[in-house]
Amino acid sequence: MTRQWHVAQINVGTIKYPAEDPRMQGFMSRLDEINAIADTTPGFVWRLQSESGNATDIDVGGPALFIANMSVWESVEVLFDYVYRTTHRELMVKRRDWFEKPSSIYQALWWVPAGHVPSVEEGLERIERLKKHGPTPEAFTFKSRYPAPGCDESPDDLAPDEYCSGWD
């Protein structure tokens, strides 16, 4: 069965130091490994990347050291499993070493037609929508998610906190 909808995600953050700073080594040295896991995970569709193989050198606007990560997956469940149940989780737990604590919402999920590659501008707009309106079918979170358009089932919300310690 071919899916009509995929889930897109964006997460943004401000790194504490320039990417080439030795204090960023623990993060930067693992990007190829973590991205390779994503690329080979069943249900992975697409991720934002430059010729370097990651997105850390893509200018997404905003203040200096502001970076974005985007990807598209076949379902919210496969995205959740990748983020919180693979080696990726190790970087999530240590993110305080490399990223400033977010002052507001830094991640959004939304449904896209299968085959659509979202732009960074589209992703940033979804974060703004989530900030202004809270979770809606147009921008939601793992904890407050919505079904794909045309789907009648009400999905269970996912709880990332039990898999990854928060910022506090």
Side-chain angles (χ1 to χ4, degrees), residues 18-19 26 35 42 53 56 65 71 85-86 88 94 101 109-110 125 131 137 142 145 156:
N35 288 332
T56 59
L65 306 181
S71 55
R85 294 182 177 144
T86 69
H88 179 275
K94 297 179 90 174
K101 182 177 181 180
L109 285 70
W110 70 101
E125 190 278 329
K131 287 179 188 176
F142 286 122
R145 65 186 180 129
D156 293 330

Side-chain angles (χ1 to χ4, degrees), residues 22-83:
R23 294 170 287 188
M24 291 298 296
Q25 181 64 23
F27 176 73
M28 298 301 294
S29 68
R30 305 260 333 253
L31 286 178
D32 289 345
E33 168 198 358
I34 298 303
N35 288 332
I37 293 169
D39 293 347
T40 59
T41 296
F44 169 81
V45 176
W46 169 87
R47 68 179 167 86
L48 179 66
Q49 62 181 305
S50 70
E51 291 189 18
S52 69
N54 65 66
T56 59
D57 57 354
I58 296 174
D59 182 359
V60 296
L65 306 181
F66 180 74
I67 61 174
N69 177 47
M70 292 180 63
S71 55
V72 175
W73 298 77
E74 289 181 357
S75 71
V76 174
E77 293 82 5
V78 295
L79 169 59
F80 185 90
D81 286 347
Y82 164 71
V83 171

